[in-house]
């Protein structure tokens, strides 16, 4: 047996100066804007008076099954702690709280913890939030707080971009940017217009400032605005509101999820968390398809374009890492080394590592010496993906699927305002409100509009060998069964027989990058597994409503070889569409994976409007 010594953990990059400094009086102050985050004497009391009372809480969430709060200026998280404290004491039975906050200059967890300790009465909530503190990478970050039936989405980006990207509507807004005189960008008319457009019927807004430009900006958007007595040294504050009545959320639906691989498992988890009644169907049982390998890499597609596509994969990786870390027995290894194979690769790697799309220290350039320490032999440059994982698929499927109905499905058909699943002999197996098809290559047999191509892949397993995870076009990873490597990639081949010729192809691919390891694997008695993945014409997933105008039929498919990276985040996106809640995805990213994109593109090519 060959055992590779794990490489030393690289030194993290020098951190940039914290946005937060303590002034001569010990007050937390912004290095960038010169204003205080809050007063350590009465900051909590001010949050409660200005924002909680100003938005009519807790009365306005009484009897509501869902309530959404938006915030401009996450800062130290003090307002959110005050909100969570009130929510845990006065939340409605069965209610769920969704929070969307924006912060262009995020603090580290250590910096926030250092000043939030001023309120020991909130220490348990502070510890909870700090332990799950959102990352500092550009983009959206989701934080689960199941202990409180709450979810926090933080957008780390400029306020206008964040509001444009968010697809939700808030029942209450905390407008808590730094002073309009010091931070006018946060209060410009375009921002207030976006806030108003994302305010739910009956929604309320609250802020500490009574600046004339802010008052007029809110009134211009059709909101009723009123001054209220201020808190502490501030004589006045503002409240604003929509005069229409709130709209109650629809009853949680009955949902059938078709497919018991990682897409179906992630879908079942996200829907149940949102209160839906879920049944999972798969004739072959959990993991019988492409999700049944003994190990899976959780790595992003590396896109040096650094646009929305790169953002999708960076966000998906962070979300998958967060969720899999909480599944007992799921993690086999942390870190995957991407090996340079083309002359342009080091430049691509440098652009990706310096992009800001990944949290500091999770993606770093690796010189040839570090790559050799990692792999034991390769002497090329690389990209050390410290945030990537190797996972045990079965552990995740077992944790998230629940009971799976092993019945063969023949058709999905409309039925009594919802949908029915039909088995053999026209037998109706299920009726309900929503169907989500997560059947991989089998998706197009049930939803003919899904443009999917089957791709056969065979992995090889060498018992008794071990290696750190690496990828280069092929890949190698460690599993309890031995060294997993491969995989073949054969389009339009749906057979799952094990082929000696494919073992030879996998050995050749391994030998291109790690020839010493390939020679050892060639002497082993190789086992293996073949399965079929599904890809779309543009190699991006299908996640959302199956087709325009088709109410209640959704897809989560076409994940290709990135299923374990993409599925957790994309399932939450589809679940949000089904449940009528805010998606964790920015709007431009959601458009990339909309199943209806191919029809819209075809219409545009013909010069016709897609809408």
């Amino acid at each position: 047996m060959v055992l590779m010594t794990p490489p030393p953990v690289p030194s993290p990059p020098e951190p940039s100066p914290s946005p937060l400094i303590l002034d001569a009086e010990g007050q937390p102050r912004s290095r960038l804007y010169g204003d205080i985050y809050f007063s350590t004497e009465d900051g909590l009391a001010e949050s409660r008076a200005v924002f909680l009372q100003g938005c009519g809480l807790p009365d306005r969430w009484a009897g509501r099954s869902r309530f959404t709060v938006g915030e401009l200026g996450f800062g130290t998280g003090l307002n959110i702690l005050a909100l969570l404290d009130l929510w845990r004491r006065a939340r409605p039975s069965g209610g769920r709280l969704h929070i969307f906050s924006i912060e262009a200059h995020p603090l580290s967890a250590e910096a926030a913890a250092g000043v939030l300790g001023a309120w020991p009465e909130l220490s348990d909530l502070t510890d909870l939030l700090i332990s799950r503190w959102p990352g500092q990478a550009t983009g959206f970050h989701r934080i689960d707080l199941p202990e409180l039936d709450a979810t926090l989405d933080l957008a780390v980006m400029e306020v206008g971009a964040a509001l444009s990207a968010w697809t939700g509507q808030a029942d209450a807004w905390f407008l808590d940017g730094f002073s309009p005189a010091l931070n006018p960008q946060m209060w410009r008319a375009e921002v207030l217009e976006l806030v108003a457009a994302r305010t739910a019927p009956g929604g309320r807004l609250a802020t500490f400032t009574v600046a004339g430009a802010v008052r007029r900006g809110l009134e211009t958007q059709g909101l009723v605005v009123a001054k209220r007595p201020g808190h502490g040294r501030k004589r006045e504050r503002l409240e604003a509101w929509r005069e229409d009545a709130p709209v109650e959320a629809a009853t949680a639906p009955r949902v059938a999820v078709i497919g018991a691989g990682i897409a179906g498992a992630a879908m079942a988890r996200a829907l149940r968390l949102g209160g839906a009644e879920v049944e999972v169907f798969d004739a072959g049982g959990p993991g019988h398809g492409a999700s049944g390998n003994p190990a899976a890499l959780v790595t992003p597609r590396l896109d040096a374009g650094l646009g929305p596509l790169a953002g999708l994969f960076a966000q998906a990786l962070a979300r998958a890492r967060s969720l899999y870390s909480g599944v007992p027995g799921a993690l086999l290894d942390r870190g995957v080394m991407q090996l340079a194979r083309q002359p342009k690769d080091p430049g691509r790697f440098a652009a990706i590592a310096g992009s800001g799309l990944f949290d500091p220290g999770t993606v770093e350039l690796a010189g040839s010496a570090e790559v050799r320490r990692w792999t034991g032999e390769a002497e090329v440059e690389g990209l050390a993906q410290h945030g990537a994982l190797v996972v045990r698929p079965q552990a995740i499927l077992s944790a998230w699927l629940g009971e799976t109905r092993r019945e063969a499905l023949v058709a999905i058909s409309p039925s009594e305002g919802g949908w029915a699943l039909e088995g053999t002999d026209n037998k109706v197996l299920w009726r309900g409100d929503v169907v989500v098809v997560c059947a991989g290559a089998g998706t197009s047999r049930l939803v003919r509009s899904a443009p999917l191509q089957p791709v056969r892949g065979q992995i090889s397993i060498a018992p008794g060998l071990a290696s750190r995870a690496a990828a280069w076009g092929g890949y190698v990873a460690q599993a309890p069964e031995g060294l997993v490597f491969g995989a073949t990639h054969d389009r339009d081949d749906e057979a799952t027989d094990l082929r000696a010729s494919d073992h030879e192809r996998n050995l050749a691919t391994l030998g291109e990058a790690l020839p010493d390891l390939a020679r050892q694997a060639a002497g082993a008695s190789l086992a293996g597994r073949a399965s079929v993945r599904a890809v779309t014409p543009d190699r991006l997933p299908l996640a959302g409503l199956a087709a325009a105008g088709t109410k209640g039929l959704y897809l989560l498919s076409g994940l290709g070889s990135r299923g374990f990276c993409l599925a957790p985040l994309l399932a939450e996106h589809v679940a949000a569409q089904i449940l009528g809640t805010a998606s964790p995805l920015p709007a431009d990213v959601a458009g990339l994976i909309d199943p209806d994109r191919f029809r819209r593109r075809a219409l545009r090519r013909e010069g016709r409007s897609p809408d």
Side-chain angles (χ1 to χ4, degrees):
M1 176 183 295
V2 176
L3 296 176
M4 298 298 177
T5 302
V9 177
S11 300
E14 288 294 323
S16 57
S18 172
L20 183 151
I21 58 174
L22 297 179
D23 64 19
E25 298 178 354
Q27 303 296 315
R29 188 173 293 274
S30 170
R31 182 190 298 273
L32 302 171
Y33 299 104
D35 201 359
I36 63 170
Y37 284 88
F38 53 75
S39 166
T40 53
E41 294 179 2
D42 65 352
L44 178 58
E46 183 176 42
S47 290
R48 287 168 168 162
V50 173
F51 299 113
L52 304 186
Q53 180 183 331
C55 287
L57 306 178
D59 293 345
R60 290 192 54 252
W61 65 45
R64 302 278 298 273
S65 60
R66 298 194 192 101
F67 196 83
T68 301
V69 174
E71 180 188 43
L72 306 190
F74 180 71
T76 65
L78 179 60
N79 292 336
I80 301 308
L81 287 179
L83 172 65
L84 292 173
D85 179 51
L86 181 63
W87 175 258
R88 69 176 171 180
R89 291 185 283 112
R91 69 177 179 258
S93 176
R96 288 200 56 82
L97 176 66
H98 190 101
I99 305 164
F100 174 71
S101 187
I102 301 169
E103 180 56 60
H105 310 289
L107 301 179
S108 67
E110 294 75 17
V115 294
L116 291 174
W119 292 283
E121 65 269 36
L122 296 182
S123 61
D124 58 332
L125 286 177
T126 299
D127 291 345
L128 180 65
L129 183 60
I130 294 299
S131 71
R132 299 172 196 173
W133 194 254
Q136 296 178 291
T138 300
F140 281 20
H141 300 256
R142 172 156 286 190
I143 305 301
D144 297 310
L145 299 165
E147 304 87 343
L148 302 169
D149 293 320
T151 300
L152 165 65
D153 283 330
L154 179 69
V156 176
M157 58 180 70
E158 188 272 331
V159 61
L163 288 168
S164 297
W166 191 50
T167 60
Q169 284 195 313
D171 301 294
W173 278 102
F174 300 168
L175 307 185
D176 194 28
F178 291 113
S179 164
L182 298 172
N183 184 19
Q185 286 293 99
M186 182 71 88
W187 303 95
R188 64 189 191 272
E190 296 87 348
V191 169
L192 298 180
E193 181 181 0
L194 287 165
V195 167
R198 284 150 181 76
T199 301
R204 295 184 70 90
L205 304 85
T207 182
F208 62 88
T209 183
V210 292
V214 175
R215 295 200 312 272
R216 291 188 295 272
L218 294 173
E219 288 171 342
T220 299
Q221 300 306 318
L223 299 167
V224 179
V225 181
K227 292 182 180 180
R228 300 292 191 230
H231 178 82
R233 301 176 186 176
K234 297 175 182 175
R235 292 190 307 164
E236 296 176 308
R237 57 183 174 84
L238 283 187
E239 294 179 10
W241 60 91
R242 284 181 55 161
E243 291 190 289
D244 46 1
V247 177
E248 179 51 78
T251 303
R254 294 186 66 231
V255 184
V257 173
I258 301 174
I262 186 55
M267 199 71 249
R269 173 201 162 271
L271 286 166
R272 290 188 182 116
L273 188 63
E277 179 185 334
V278 179
E279 290 190 64
V280 180
F281 291 80
D282 195 316
H288 82 280
S291 298
N293 289 343
L297 293 189
V298 185
T299 56
R301 175 171 157 182
L302 298 175
D303 181 6
L306 307 181
L309 176 60
L312 165 64
F313 279 94
Q315 184 184 352
L317 175 63
R319 188 60 177 146
R321 182 170 63 245
S322 173
L323 292 178
Y324 294 154
S325 295
V327 176
L331 300 189
L332 293 174
D333 197 6
R334 291 184 182 271
V336 176
M337 181 64 73
Q338 187 76 32
L339 308 179
R341 302 302 294 165
Q342 302 293 333
K344 64 181 180 180
D345 283 345
R348 291 177 56 244
F349 293 169
I352 291 165
S355 68
L357 291 174
F358 297 90
D359 283 326
T362 59
V363 175
E364 297 178 327
L365 288 175
S368 58
E370 182 180 347
V371 171
R372 182 173 179 82
R373 286 195 298 270
W374 189 291
T375 64
E377 57 175 303
E379 295 189 8
V380 296
E381 295 179 77
L383 186 69
Q385 301 180 78
H386 302 296
L389 303 173
V390 182
V391 297
R392 183 77 165 168
Q394 191 55 52
I396 298 165
L397 302 186
S398 297
W400 289 358
L401 275 172
E403 182 180 353
T404 300
R405 291 180 59 175
R406 300 184 64 161
E407 298 176 88
L409 302 180
V410 175
I412 304 169
S413 58
S415 174
E416 300 174 6
W419 295 89
L421 301 185
E422 298 177 12
T424 55
D425 300 324
N426 297 320
K427 179 182 178 182
V428 175
L429 303 177
W430 176 92
R431 282 192 175 92
D433 305 301
V434 174
V435 175
V436 189
V437 185
C438 310
T443 298
S444 55
R445 286 191 282 272
L446 295 169
V447 182
R448 297 193 181 278
S449 62
L452 293 168
Q453 180 182 36
V455 179
R456 171 194 154 90
Q458 179 174 312
I459 62 167
S460 300
I461 305 170
L465 295 183
S467 173
R468 292 298 307 276
W472 61 92
Y475 73 89
V476 61
Q478 189 60 49
E481 293 83 350
L483 187 73
V484 177
F485 62 99
T488 58
H489 186 90
D490 297 312
R491 298 177 184 178
D492 297 320
D493 186 344
E494 298 187 62
T496 58
D497 57 306
L498 201 60
R499 301 171 185 173
S501 59
D502 283 0
H503 282 321
E504 292 300 320
R505 292 165 62 193
N506 285 338
L507 285 167
T509 299
L510 180 60
E512 292 172 3
L514 303 171
D516 291 346
L517 191 60
R519 282 191 289 271
Q520 296 171 59
S525 178
L526 295 180
R529 187 175 185 274
S531 57
V532 181
R533 296 178 174 87
V535 298
T536 63
D538 61 7
R539 298 300 184 265
L540 290 177
L542 305 173
L545 197 65
T550 308
K551 182 180 178 182
L553 180 61
Y554 294 81
L555 302 178
L556 180 54
S557 191
L559 305 184
S561 61
R562 307 286 179 182
F564 279 86
C565 179
L566 290 168
L569 178 64
L570 298 193
E572 291 180 328
H573 167 67
V574 177
Q577 293 184 337
I578 294 169
L579 299 171
T581 59
S583 170
L585 287 179
D588 57 349
V589 172
L592 291 175
I593 57 175
D594 183 355
D596 198 42
R597 64 187 183 270
F598 299 101
R599 181 191 67 85
R600 296 199 309 270
R601 290 171 187 169
L603 290 175
R604 289 193 191 99
R605 286 194 296 270
E606 296 170 4
R608 294 191 288 164
S609 171
D611 303 317

